[in-house]
Amino acid sequence: MLRSKLPDIKTSIFAVMTQMANENNAINLSQGFPDFQVSKKLIDLVEKYMKKGFNQYAPMQGVFELREQISKKTFELYNHKYNPDTEITITAGATQAIYTTINAFINEGDEVILFEPAYDSYLPAIRINGGQPVYVQLKAPEYKIDWNEIKRVISIRTKMIIINTPHNPSGAIFTEEDIMMLRKIVSGSKILILSDEVYEHIIFDGNKHQSLAKYPDLIKRSIIISSFGKTLHTTGWKIGYCMAPEKIMNEFRKVHQFTVFSVNTPIQYAISEYIEKEDEYMNLSSFYQEKRDYFISLVSNSKFKLIPSKGTYFQILDYSEISDEKDVEFAKRLVLEFGIASVPVSAFYHNHQDNKALRFCFAKSNKTLDKAAEKLLKIS
Ligand SMILES: Cc1ncc(COP(=O)(O)O)c(C=O)c1O
């Protein structure tokens, strides 16, 4: 008899909303991907490496040139030098790095602390590996961390804490104070930290990204994960990476080699050459801040309430003054009646908590945002 390892997992609401958007010809601000072009230079580089014959297996840990560039960039930004030979691995997007980390370190009964709302890949990965999720709620509408609650839920079985800054879906960011609290709480323990920093280059209003790579006491227990999909507008290329001290990375690689072995060769070469010459990611925050501000200005006369996103390319809109409907029902109605798709925030909670909030992706051309706002202004 077929026994499911994830019996209560159904088709994700992300897929449902996108399908509904397509079927109804709606503006799709649900899934998180840009609708504008990738740099031509980068595309040309991929073609160059393909034509030069870089089309066979990459090394298991990733192309050295790319690991070297990542090491340099991390040092320049966060002042810690990861050894490209032993401490950096290229993965099939951040998603694989997340899964492989959890797969490598979480055993039956290990507790993993998870902040909710949470990106949807963490929980299934914990459960399929026999881990025990321990949920801590971020308090809407600011989605701040209550560190006293973390202190309360830590136990001798706590194996890992998963953090994500800038945070999907809320757009909240870790402050220096959050980092101080995290350092205090894990000090003296063997707790590992999975730090999902895929939006590290998308942070607004002059705030600085609090990478764990800035803190030696956190580095020694952390697996830091990032993704070129977010940074280079190439979510479909699925190239991510992770960084961790050698002892942790050795264990990560043992699992990685039997999960994918290695990832796309010519794209790795192309990205390494591209980021060596272009520090385009350094302008990403101002690029997306303009988009956030534009989107906010467009919807400011609508009935939705909002707190401006501090990072990522997502903006949460609160509809509590418009309707009492559950967020999934409301989101579906917006597609059918108004032609605009979003993601209900309850999708990011294990118990589908309803905050009367929807997540909109503003990584779109201004033309798309104009059309979206036109629809949002009609909702009352
Ligand atoms: C918080 C977070 N982590 C990880 C990922 C996955 O990144 P990738 O597309 O590189 O697998 C995403 C993508 O949406 C994300 O929002």
Side-chain angles (χ1 to χ4, degrees):
M1 187 55 188
L2 191 73
R3 210 174 118 225
S4 173
K5 286 194 165 187
L6 294 169
D8 48 357
I9 298 280
K10 301 189 183 81
T11 308
S12 89
I13 188 75
F14 301 88
V16 172
M17 294 312 295
T18 292
Q19 194 185 338
M20 272 186 86
N22 292 341
E23 282 168 7
N24 291 280
N25 210 9
I27 307 283
N28 188 3
L29 302 197
S30 65
Q31 247 181 335
F33 60 85
D35 75 346
F36 33 82
Q37 279 305 309
V38 176
S39 147
K40 182 173 178 312
K41 253 189 207 163
L42 181 54
I43 305 261
D44 289 346
L45 283 170
V46 175
E47 191 187 4
K48 174 177 116 180
Y49 281 103
M50 283 182 169
K51 284 189 169 158
K52 269 174 116 181
F54 290 79
N55 297 305
Q56 308 310 329
Y57 292 124
M60 180 271 281
Q61 62 274 45
V63 162
F64 178 77
E65 286 81 349
L66 182 56
R67 285 181 281 129
E68 195 181 32
Q69 287 308 318
I70 291 167
S71 173
K72 273 192 196 158
K73 156 176 115 83
T74 306
F75 180 68
E76 276 161 25
L77 292 171
Y78 310 126
N79 204 29
H80 177 73
K81 184 112 186 100
Y82 281 96
N83 182 333
D85 280 322
T86 55
E87 298 184 317
I88 298 174
T89 301
I90 312 300
T91 57
T95 306
Q96 184 237 316
I98 292 165
Y99 188 82
T100 302
T101 299
I102 293 171
N103 198 201
F105 297 106
I106 297 306
N107 294 304
E108 197 71 32
D110 285 341
E111 290 183 358
V112 183
I113 295 178
L114 194 62
F115 300 99
E116 279 194 327
Y119 180 62
D120 66 333
S121 82
Y122 309 144
L123 182 57
I126 296 167
R127 288 179 46 206
I128 212 164
N129 286 291
Q132 195 62 44
V134 175
Y135 307 102
V136 174
Q137 306 294 314
L138 301 171
K139 303 276 176 306
E142 300 240 20
Y143 296 93
K144 280 198 172 141
I145 299 171
D146 178 350
W147 289 101
N148 285 326
E149 173 111 24
I150 311 290
K151 277 190 210 157
R152 210 174 50 71
V153 299
I154 280 187
S155 82
I156 48 163
R157 287 183 301 280
T158 306
K159 182 73 176 280
M160 183 182 279
I161 301 178
I162 300 181
I163 66 168
N164 170 216
T165 182
H167 181 253
N168 176 11
S170 72
I173 55 171
F174 261 53
T175 60
E176 256 178 76
E177 211 184 322
D178 289 317
I179 295 282
M180 288 257 298
M181 293 305 294
L182 179 65
R183 294 169 78 182
K184 255 197 214 160
I185 280 176
V186 295
S187 158
S189 76
K190 289 189 176 153
I191 297 172
L192 294 170
I193 303 171
L194 185 167
S195 186
D196 181 342
E197 303 185 13
V198 299
Y199 299 104
E200 63 181 319
H201 301 304
I202 310 180
I203 184 159
F204 310 137
D205 308 318
N207 286 300
K208 291 265 172 292
H209 172 56
Q210 291 294 338
S211 175
L212 298 202
K214 283 161 96 177
Y215 303 92
D217 53 333
L218 294 177
I219 287 168
K220 66 180 188 197
R221 61 173 77 244
S222 298
I223 302 98
I224 297 177
I225 294 172
S226 195
S227 171
F228 288 110
K230 313 295 173 183
T231 306
L232 301 174
H233 314 308
T234 53
T235 59
W237 290 5
K238 297 298 290 186
I239 305 280
Y241 62 90
C242 68
M243 308 184 291
E246 186 172 347
K247 243 170 114 178
I248 296 179
M249 189 52 80
N250 279 343
E251 291 305 312
F252 178 93
R253 286 180 178 175
K254 283 184 196 171
V255 179
H256 170 79
Q257 68 182 329
F258 298 116
T259 312
V260 287
F261 184 71
S262 66
V263 300
N264 193 310
T265 307
I267 291 185
Q268 289 191 63
Y269 279 106
I271 293 178
S272 72
E273 187 174 332
Y274 186 72
I275 63 173
E276 186 182 2
K277 294 187 184 140
E278 308 277 328
D279 48 6
E280 180 180 286
Y281 56 85
M282 295 305 290
N283 301 321
L284 211 56
S285 289
S286 58
F287 173 79
Y288 274 121
Q289 185 171 324
E290 260 179 44
K291 294 232 167 271
R292 177 203 63 173
D293 292 344
Y294 187 61
F295 183 59
I296 288 178
S297 73
L298 292 175
V299 300
S300 63
N301 287 330
S302 75
K303 284 257 184 110
F304 291 94
K305 285 187 296 182
L306 66 88
I307 294 179
S309 168
K310 295 190 173 74
T312 76
Y313 43 52
F314 300 114
Q315 175 64 54
I316 284 188
L317 298 184
D318 173 316
Y319 65 87
S320 55
E321 283 182 6
I322 302 173
S323 168
D324 288 334
E325 278 161 283
K326 288 215 166 97
D327 65 357
V328 173
E329 300 316 313
F330 187 66
K332 286 181 176 169
R333 188 158 72 81
L334 294 201
V335 178
L336 296 175
E337 285 181 22
F338 295 91
I340 173 119
S342 57
V343 174
V345 173
S346 64
F348 299 86
Y349 289 90
H350 74 287
N351 60 358
H352 308 295
Q353 182 179 308
D354 179 12
N355 298 338
K356 305 274 177 260
L358 303 177
R359 189 200 74 175
F360 292 83
C361 172
F362 55 78
K364 306 291 170 192
S365 68
N366 285 3
K367 219 167 113 194
T368 309
L369 295 177
D370 286 337
K371 282 190 203 153
E374 211 178 282
K375 295 174 186 296
L376 289 168
L377 288 170
K378 288 188 186 142
I379 302 165
S380 57

PDB file of all heavy atoms in Angstrom, residues 92-95 98 119 122 164 168 196 198-199 227 230 235 238 314, ligand 1:
ATOM      1  N   ALA A  92      21.208  23.710  -6.393  1.00  0.00           N
ATOM      2  CA  ALA A  92      20.114  23.930  -7.345  1.00  0.00           C
ATOM      3  C   ALA A  92      19.090  24.866  -6.691  1.00  0.00           C
ATOM      4  O   ALA A  92      18.059  24.439  -6.174  1.00  0.00           O
ATOM      5  CB  ALA A  92      19.476  22.605  -7.722  1.00  0.00           C
ATOM      6  N   GLY A  93      19.439  26.138  -6.664  1.00  0.00           N
ATOM      7  CA  GLY A  93      18.592  27.129  -5.996  1.00  0.00           C
ATOM      8  C   GLY A  93      18.747  27.036  -4.482  1.00  0.00           C
ATOM      9  O   GLY A  93      19.359  26.097  -3.953  1.00  0.00           O
ATOM     10  N   ALA A  94      18.179  28.039  -3.803  1.00  0.00           N
ATOM     11  CA  ALA A  94      18.200  28.009  -2.328  1.00  0.00           C
ATOM     12  C   ALA A  94      17.355  26.842  -1.824  1.00  0.00           C
ATOM     13  O   ALA A  94      17.628  26.267  -0.774  1.00  0.00           O
ATOM     14  CB  ALA A  94      17.673  29.330  -1.785  1.00  0.00           C
ATOM     15  N   THR A  95      16.337  26.480  -2.588  1.00  0.00           N
ATOM     16  CA  THR A  95      15.428  25.410  -2.157  1.00  0.00           C
ATOM     17  C   THR A  95      16.199  24.119  -1.865  1.00  0.00           C
ATOM     18  O   THR A  95      15.977  23.477  -0.840  1.00  0.00           O
ATOM     19  CB  THR A  95      14.374  25.136  -3.247  1.00  0.00           C
ATOM     20  OG1 THR A  95      13.732  26.379  -3.561  1.00  0.00           O
ATOM     21  CG2 THR A  95      13.329  24.133  -2.796  1.00  0.00           C
ATOM     22  N   ILE A  98      18.313  24.465   1.284  1.00  0.00           N
ATOM     23  CA  ILE A  98      17.474  24.361   2.493  1.00  0.00           C
ATOM     24  C   ILE A  98      17.170  22.889   2.774  1.00  0.00           C
ATOM     25  O   ILE A  98      17.360  22.389   3.879  1.00  0.00           O
ATOM     26  CB  ILE A  98      16.157  25.168   2.313  1.00  0.00           C
ATOM     27  CG1 ILE A  98      16.439  26.672   2.253  1.00  0.00           C
ATOM     28  CG2 ILE A  98      15.152  24.835   3.427  1.00  0.00           C
ATOM     29  CD1 ILE A  98      15.283  27.510   1.720  1.00  0.00           C
ATOM     30  N   TYR A 119       8.334  30.749   4.940  1.00  0.00           N
ATOM     31  CA  TYR A 119       8.473  30.277   3.557  1.00  0.00           C
ATOM     32  C   TYR A 119       8.103  28.794   3.517  1.00  0.00           C
ATOM     33  O   TYR A 119       8.469  28.033   4.408  1.00  0.00           O
ATOM     34  CB  TYR A 119       9.906  30.520   3.076  1.00  0.00           C
ATOM     35  CG  TYR A 119      10.138  30.059   1.674  1.00  0.00           C
ATOM     36  CD1 TYR A 119       9.427  30.611   0.617  1.00  0.00           C
ATOM     37  CD2 TYR A 119      11.057  29.057   1.394  1.00  0.00           C
ATOM     38  CE1 TYR A 119       9.613  30.167  -0.670  1.00  0.00           C
ATOM     39  CE2 TYR A 119      11.259  28.617   0.100  1.00  0.00           C
ATOM     40  CZ  TYR A 119      10.530  29.177  -0.929  1.00  0.00           C
ATOM     41  OH  TYR A 119      10.721  28.731  -2.205  1.00  0.00           O
ATOM     42  N   TYR A 122      10.269  25.036   4.316  1.00  0.00           N
ATOM     43  CA  TYR A 122      10.935  24.584   5.552  1.00  0.00           C
ATOM     44  C   TYR A 122      10.185  23.416   6.213  1.00  0.00           C
ATOM     45  O   TYR A 122      10.786  22.413   6.573  1.00  0.00           O
ATOM     46  CB  TYR A 122      11.044  25.709   6.594  1.00  0.00           C
ATOM     47  CG  TYR A 122      11.625  27.020   6.123  1.00  0.00           C
ATOM     48  CD1 TYR A 122      11.136  28.243   6.620  1.00  0.00           C
ATOM     49  CD2 TYR A 122      12.672  27.071   5.194  1.00  0.00           C
ATOM     50  CE1 TYR A 122      11.675  29.452   6.212  1.00  0.00           C
ATOM     51  CE2 TYR A 122      13.203  28.288   4.781  1.00  0.00           C
ATOM     52  CZ  TYR A 122      12.693  29.477   5.297  1.00  0.00           C
ATOM     53  OH  TYR A 122      13.214  30.679   4.890  1.00  0.00           O
ATOM     54  N   ASN A 164      15.058  33.886   8.608  1.00  0.00           N
ATOM     55  CA  ASN A 164      14.925  34.373   7.239  1.00  0.00           C
ATOM     56  C   ASN A 164      14.811  35.894   7.275  1.00  0.00           C
ATOM     57  O   ASN A 164      13.832  36.430   7.712  1.00  0.00           O
ATOM     58  CB  ASN A 164      13.668  33.741   6.605  1.00  0.00           C
ATOM     59  CG  ASN A 164      13.285  34.341   5.261  1.00  0.00           C
ATOM     60  OD1 ASN A 164      12.108  34.482   4.938  1.00  0.00           O
ATOM     61  ND2 ASN A 164      14.257  34.699   4.474  1.00  0.00           N
ATOM     62  N   ASN A 168      10.304  36.669   3.824  1.00  0.00           N
ATOM     63  CA  ASN A 168       9.160  36.359   2.965  1.00  0.00           C
ATOM     64  C   ASN A 168       8.132  35.625   3.826  1.00  0.00           C
ATOM     65  O   ASN A 168       8.488  34.604   4.416  1.00  0.00           O
ATOM     66  CB  ASN A 168       9.633  35.460   1.818  1.00  0.00           C
ATOM     67  CG  ASN A 168       8.517  34.991   0.920  1.00  0.00           C
ATOM     68  OD1 ASN A 168       7.391  35.467   1.004  1.00  0.00           O
ATOM     69  ND2 ASN A 168       8.817  34.040   0.049  1.00  0.00           N
ATOM     70  N   ASP A 196      18.339  31.802   6.049  1.00  0.00           N
ATOM     71  CA  ASP A 196      17.897  31.973   4.671  1.00  0.00           C
ATOM     72  C   ASP A 196      17.991  33.460   4.331  1.00  0.00           C
ATOM     73  O   ASP A 196      17.185  34.274   4.795  1.00  0.00           O
ATOM     74  CB  ASP A 196      16.452  31.460   4.553  1.00  0.00           C
ATOM     75  CG  ASP A 196      15.899  31.579   3.143  1.00  0.00           C
ATOM     76  OD1 ASP A 196      16.451  32.343   2.341  1.00  0.00           O
ATOM     77  OD2 ASP A 196      14.886  30.912   2.860  1.00  0.00           O
ATOM     78  N   VAL A 198      18.167  34.828   1.094  1.00  0.00           N
ATOM     79  CA  VAL A 198      18.055  34.978  -0.370  1.00  0.00           C
ATOM     80  C   VAL A 198      17.733  36.419  -0.803  1.00  0.00           C
ATOM     81  O   VAL A 198      18.036  36.790  -1.922  1.00  0.00           O
ATOM     82  CB  VAL A 198      17.030  33.997  -1.008  1.00  0.00           C
ATOM     83  CG1 VAL A 198      17.420  32.556  -0.773  1.00  0.00           C
ATOM     84  CG2 VAL A 198      15.618  34.260  -0.564  1.00  0.00           C
ATOM     85  N   TYR A 199      17.156  37.208   0.107  1.00  0.00           N
ATOM     86  CA  TYR A 199      16.850  38.613  -0.261  1.00  0.00           C
ATOM     87  C   TYR A 199      17.883  39.584   0.321  1.00  0.00           C
ATOM     88  O   TYR A 199      17.577  40.750   0.565  1.00  0.00           O
ATOM     89  CB  TYR A 199      15.430  38.985   0.202  1.00  0.00           C
ATOM     90  CG  TYR A 199      14.370  38.127  -0.443  1.00  0.00           C
ATOM     91  CD1 TYR A 199      13.751  37.096   0.260  1.00  0.00           C
ATOM     92  CD2 TYR A 199      14.019  38.303  -1.773  1.00  0.00           C
ATOM     93  CE1 TYR A 199      12.806  36.273  -0.334  1.00  0.00           C
ATOM     94  CE2 TYR A 199      13.075  37.488  -2.383  1.00  0.00           C
ATOM     95  CZ  TYR A 199      12.470  36.480  -1.659  1.00  0.00           C
ATOM     96  OH  TYR A 199      11.547  35.671  -2.262  1.00  0.00           O
ATOM     97  N   SER A 227      20.632  32.977  -3.014  1.00  0.00           N
ATOM     98  CA  SER A 227      20.175  32.518  -4.327  1.00  0.00           C
ATOM     99  C   SER A 227      20.438  33.573  -5.399  1.00  0.00           C
ATOM    100  O   SER A 227      20.098  34.740  -5.215  1.00  0.00           O
ATOM    101  CB  SER A 227      18.671  32.247  -4.282  1.00  0.00           C
ATOM    102  OG  SER A 227      18.184  32.006  -5.582  1.00  0.00           O
ATOM    103  N   LYS A 230      17.202  35.488  -7.089  1.00  0.00           N
ATOM    104  CA  LYS A 230      16.652  36.765  -6.602  1.00  0.00           C
ATOM    105  C   LYS A 230      17.538  37.934  -7.018  1.00  0.00           C
ATOM    106  O   LYS A 230      17.067  39.024  -7.305  1.00  0.00           O
ATOM    107  CB  LYS A 230      16.563  36.756  -5.068  1.00  0.00           C
ATOM    108  CG  LYS A 230      15.961  35.508  -4.478  1.00  0.00           C
ATOM    109  CD  LYS A 230      14.511  35.349  -4.877  1.00  0.00           C
ATOM    110  CE  LYS A 230      14.004  33.989  -4.412  1.00  0.00           C
ATOM    111  NZ  LYS A 230      12.644  33.760  -4.824  1.00  0.00           N
ATOM    112  N   THR A 235      15.115  33.606 -11.607  1.00  0.00           N
ATOM    113  CA  THR A 235      14.576  32.573 -10.709  1.00  0.00           C
ATOM    114  C   THR A 235      14.486  31.211 -11.412  1.00  0.00           C
ATOM    115  O   THR A 235      14.574  30.180 -10.759  1.00  0.00           O
ATOM    116  CB  THR A 235      13.176  32.955 -10.171  1.00  0.00           C
ATOM    117  OG1 THR A 235      12.292  33.128 -11.276  1.00  0.00           O
ATOM    118  CG2 THR A 235      13.213  34.225  -9.347  1.00  0.00           C
ATOM    119  N   LYS A 238      17.645  28.509 -11.202  1.00  0.00           N
ATOM    120  CA  LYS A 238      17.825  27.686 -10.007  1.00  0.00           C
ATOM    121  C   LYS A 238      19.297  27.491  -9.624  1.00  0.00           C
ATOM    122  O   LYS A 238      19.792  26.367  -9.534  1.00  0.00           O
ATOM    123  CB  LYS A 238      17.149  26.312 -10.180  1.00  0.00           C
ATOM    124  CG  LYS A 238      15.640  26.374 -10.347  1.00  0.00           C
ATOM    125  CD  LYS A 238      14.924  26.971  -9.157  1.00  0.00           C
ATOM    126  CE  LYS A 238      14.915  26.133  -7.929  1.00  0.00           C
ATOM    127  NZ  LYS A 238      14.083  26.718  -6.847  1.00  0.00           N
ATOM    128  N   PHE A 314       8.160  41.803  -1.825  1.00  0.00           N
ATOM    129  CA  PHE A 314       6.767  41.557  -1.472  1.00  0.00           C
ATOM    130  C   PHE A 314       6.205  42.680  -0.604  1.00  0.00           C
ATOM    131  O   PHE A 314       6.923  43.249   0.227  1.00  0.00           O
ATOM    132  CB  PHE A 314       6.637  40.237  -0.704  1.00  0.00           C
ATOM    133  CG  PHE A 314       7.114  39.045  -1.483  1.00  0.00           C
ATOM    134  CD1 PHE A 314       8.230  38.333  -1.074  1.00  0.00           C
ATOM    135  CD2 PHE A 314       6.449  38.640  -2.633  1.00  0.00           C
ATOM    136  CE1 PHE A 314       8.678  37.238  -1.799  1.00  0.00           C
ATOM    137  CE2 PHE A 314       6.894  37.544  -3.366  1.00  0.00           C
ATOM    138  CZ  PHE A 314       8.013  36.844  -2.947  1.00  0.00           C
TER     139      PHE A 314
HETATM  140  C1  LIG B   1      12.580  32.959   1.631  1.00  0.00           C
HETATM  141  C2  LIG B   1      12.922  32.150   0.427  1.00  0.00           C
HETATM  142  N1  LIG B   1      13.816  31.171   0.539  1.00  0.00           N
HETATM  143  C3  LIG B   1      14.151  30.397  -0.514  1.00  0.00           C
HETATM  144  C4  LIG B   1      13.560  30.587  -1.747  1.00  0.00           C
HETATM  145  C5  LIG B   1      13.913  29.659  -2.881  1.00  0.00           C
HETATM  146  O1  LIG B   1      14.908  30.170  -3.691  1.00  0.00           O
HETATM  147  P1  LIG B   1      15.298  29.438  -5.067  1.00  0.00           P
HETATM  148  O2  LIG B   1      14.343  29.884  -6.095  1.00  0.00           O
HETATM  149  O3  LIG B   1      16.720  29.890  -5.320  1.00  0.00           O
HETATM  150  O4  LIG B   1      15.226  27.966  -4.824  1.00  0.00           O
HETATM  151  C6  LIG B   1      12.619  31.598  -1.908  1.00  0.00           C
HETATM  152  C7  LIG B   1      11.954  31.795  -3.212  1.00  0.00           C
HETATM  153  O5  LIG B   1      10.897  32.344  -3.321  1.00  0.00           O
HETATM  154  C8  LIG B   1      12.283  32.402  -0.793  1.00  0.00           C
HETATM  155  O6  LIG B   1      11.367  33.364  -0.890  1.00  0.00           O
END
